[in-house]
Amino acid sequence: MEAVPAVETLEGQNERFDLGVFVGDLAHDEEVASDDESLEGLQQELDDCKNDQEVANILANGIKLREYTKGVENNIRQVELDSIQDYIKESENLISLHDQIRDCDNILSHMETLLTGFQTEIGSISSEIKVLQEKSMDMGLKLKNRKAAESKLSKFVEDIIVPPRMIDIIIDAEEHAKEIYAEVRAAYIDTMNKVLSAHFRAYIQALEKLQLDIATSTDLLGVETRSTGFLFSIGKEPLKSRSSVFALGERINILKLIMFKRRIPCLDSYLDKVNMSLWPRFKMVFDLHLNSLRNANIKTLWEDDVHPHYVTRRYAEFTASLLHLNVEHGDGQLDLNLERLRMAIEDLLVKLAKMFTKPKLQTIFLINNYDLMIAVLKEAGTEGGKAQLHFEEVLKSNIAIYVEELLLEHFSDLIKFVKTHPAEDTATSSEKASVGDVEPLVKDFASRWKAAIELMHKDVITSFSNFLCGMEILKAALTQLLLYYTRLTECVKKINGGSALNKDLVSISSILYEIKKYSRTF
């Protein structure tokens, strides 16, 4: 352990003797140097080193540097040997220390194993405690519920139980007689009758609320719902929703894939015979529906309302049900009858529309009814047949009529001018317009076109039942307005002096932006 100071002393000596080695080499190995080597400045360096005590001692004693170095090396070697001897003397203690460290390590390893086991057991105990707590809470809740049930049940049992004293009196006392028995029995029957009748009455009333509206033999397409004529039985309550009595609903599931799902083909022939026997009856009922439309009383059916008529919904649901039932079984006779029915309902709608005084209201009424019939036919999951195609064509023509009527209501002068003045290239001299003809139109349009479009929008929203259909109509009206105004601007550009009106012209992009703005809100 003494080697460290020796090394430190050695390092210190090396630091001090670096200059001495240099001086010694110069003083004693002078013959090694070449003859050309200059020794200038040596005296100056020696003078500078005189102040160093160690160098002064060496120079004073005349000790040669090489001998001094050998002495230092011998001292270092002796110190090293002494250090080795010290290490050998302490080797047994080091071995003992190593054994003690190894024993401590084994003990600590054993303690780690024990602690790990304790930790695992503590975790298991914690889980068991948690489970016990949950069971305890569950048992406490069950106990609380059972106590609550016991309190209520004991009260009920106390109310219904017959006291032993009463039993003794009834069996053994004087109230024990046939007359008393009859009275008690009658009282019990009367009481239970009142109790049960109240329950049954409530049950029947609940069932009546679930009763579906089903068409009967007196329900026809063209019959007015408020009628109380001979077609309706005396005392018969009117159905809640007579407009939808012909909707097929969920009955299609019973009428179409149940026998097939149950794999009972033996009834197919029987059902075919039933179908053949029912056809004359169906034809009679169908003719009744057809005649009810043809002979309908327009004045009693008409309502001052442009929304779809309830007879229209009846017809649409009746037709959709028949088409749905026969979608896999083409029947030319049925198609012919449905065509006759379509002509009858269309004729009836035209008659009802004429009851409105304004042509615009007539067109709105027809559009709403045609749109409803198309929607019902589509919702039935069928193609709608020829009737749907026909109503779609009629709907398009009526929409075109309404668009013209709506635009004439707000831009009549503009439309009349565009229609009476063809393109400038093909116009005769008498048909050519002047600046004075178009200037009022241009300025009038620029001053109120946005307000007019807003009024058209409100008119459409309040007129049509189907919002999507109404928005398509408004879009068509705005597009047609854009075409009319485009023709006006082209006419203005070709008129001599028409460039003076450019400042009053509304740009096509502005009108397109307004149309897109309304389209985004739909």
Side-chain angles (χ1 to χ4, degrees), residues 207-479:
L207 288 179
E208 289 177 349
K209 293 180 180 179
L210 299 176
Q211 183 179 1
L212 296 177
D213 291 337
I214 299 176
T216 64
S217 60
T218 59
D219 291 305
L220 299 176
L221 296 178
V223 175
E224 201 270 322
T225 56
R226 295 167 294 185
S227 176
T228 56
F230 69 93
L231 289 176
F232 294 94
S233 303
I234 298 176
K236 178 182 177 182
E237 295 183 0
L239 297 178
K240 297 177 181 178
S241 181
R242 287 190 176 274
S243 61
S244 60
V245 293
F246 297 106
L248 196 57
E250 296 296 327
R251 290 179 289 175
I252 186 65
N253 297 327
I254 300 174
L255 297 175
K256 294 188 68 176
L257 295 170
I258 290 180
M259 300 304 293
F260 178 76
K261 288 183 178 180
R262 294 178 180 177
R263 297 181 180 178
I264 310 178
C266 60
L267 295 178
D268 289 348
S269 59
Y270 168 75
L271 295 177
D272 291 337
K273 292 179 181 179
V274 171
N275 188 28
M276 294 299 295
S277 62
L278 288 178
W279 177 255
R281 178 65 181 174
F282 169 76
K283 184 64 170 60
M284 185 191 72
V285 174
F286 192 93
D287 290 339
L288 289 175
H289 286 300
L290 182 61
N291 293 328
S292 70
L293 293 178
R294 289 176 175 175
N295 303 323
N297 190 337
I298 303 300
K299 293 183 179 180
T300 58
L301 286 178
W302 183 76
E303 298 175 350
D304 191 9
D305 188 0
V306 295
H307 292 85
H309 201 276
Y310 60 86
V311 173
T312 302
R313 178 172 288 278
R314 284 180 169 184
Y315 160 79
E317 292 180 345
F318 180 72
T319 304
S321 299
L322 291 179
L323 290 173
H324 199 176
L325 289 173
N326 293 275
V327 67
E328 299 176 358
H329 310 283
D331 191 334
Q333 188 66 26
L334 179 63
D335 293 339
L336 180 61
N337 288 323
L338 289 177
E339 182 68 14
R340 295 165 59 201
L341 196 65
R342 178 196 63 75
M343 295 172 64
I345 187 65
E346 190 171 5
D347 183 62
L348 177 62
L349 289 176
V350 173
K351 292 178 181 179
L352 290 172
K354 290 181 179 180
M355 296 292 290
F356 293 96
T357 57
K358 296 182 180 179
K360 179 182 174 183
L361 296 179
Q362 297 176 9
T363 307
I364 294 173
F365 175 78
L366 291 175
I367 291 175
N368 281 328
N369 282 275
Y370 291 144
D371 180 67
L372 173 66
M373 288 189 285
I374 294 171
V376 173
L377 291 173
K378 287 182 178 179
E379 288 176 359
T382 65
E383 297 179 356
K386 297 180 181 178
Q388 179 180 335
L389 297 177
H390 175 78
F391 289 130
E392 288 177 349
E393 292 296 327
V394 178
L395 178 64
K396 289 180 182 178
S397 62
N398 279 274
I399 288 176
I401 295 173
Y402 173 79
V403 167
E404 288 297 322
E405 292 174 346
L406 185 64
L407 293 178
L408 282 173
E409 186 176 338
H410 297 279
F411 303 99
S412 58
D413 295 336
L414 170 63
I415 296 173
K416 290 178 182 178
F417 174 83
V418 171
K419 288 185 176 180
T420 56
H421 290 78
E424 192 71 16
D425 296 337
T426 60
T428 63
S429 59
S430 60
E431 294 174 339
K432 290 184 178 180
S434 63
V435 176
D437 295 331
V438 297
E439 184 177 5
L441 299 176
V442 172
K443 291 185 177 181
D444 178 68
F445 185 87
S447 64
R448 63 181 188 86
W449 69 279
K450 287 187 178 180
I453 290 178
E454 179 63 26
L455 291 175
M456 293 166 60
H457 174 237
K458 292 180 180 179
D459 194 355
V460 167
I461 288 178
T462 56
S463 298
F464 298 101
S465 304
N466 187 349
F467 183 76
L468 295 178
C469 178
M471 293 306 101
E472 288 297 326
I473 293 173
L474 178 62
K475 186 177 180 180
L478 296 178
T479 303

Side-chain angles (χ1 to χ4, degrees), residues 93-143:
N93 293 333
L94 291 174
I95 293 172
S96 176
L97 178 62
H98 177 72
D99 293 339
Q100 291 177 6
I101 292 173
R102 184 176 58 188
D103 293 340
C104 289
D105 184 59
N106 293 333
I107 293 172
L108 291 175
S109 176
H110 181 66
M111 290 181 66
E112 180 182 10
T113 303
L114 292 177
L115 292 176
T116 303
F118 288 154
Q119 184 179 9
T120 304
E121 291 180 359
I122 289 173
S124 176
I125 293 172
S126 176
S127 300
E128 292 178 357
I129 291 174
K130 185 176 181 181
V131 172
L132 291 175
Q133 287 178 344
E134 293 177 354
K135 288 183 178 179
S136 176
M137 293 176 63
D138 186 44
M139 292 176 66
L141 182 60
K142 289 181 179 179
L143 179 62

Side-chain angles (χ1 to χ4, degrees), residues 16-17 19-20 23 46-63 65:
R16 296 192 184 104
F17 292 153
L19 183 59
V23 175
L46 291 176
D47 293 337
D48 295 337
C49 293
K50 287 181 179 181
N51 296 328
D52 187 279
Q53 185 64 33
E54 192 70 23
V55 174
N57 292 334
I58 293 173
L59 293 176
N61 295 329
I63 302 174
L65 293 178

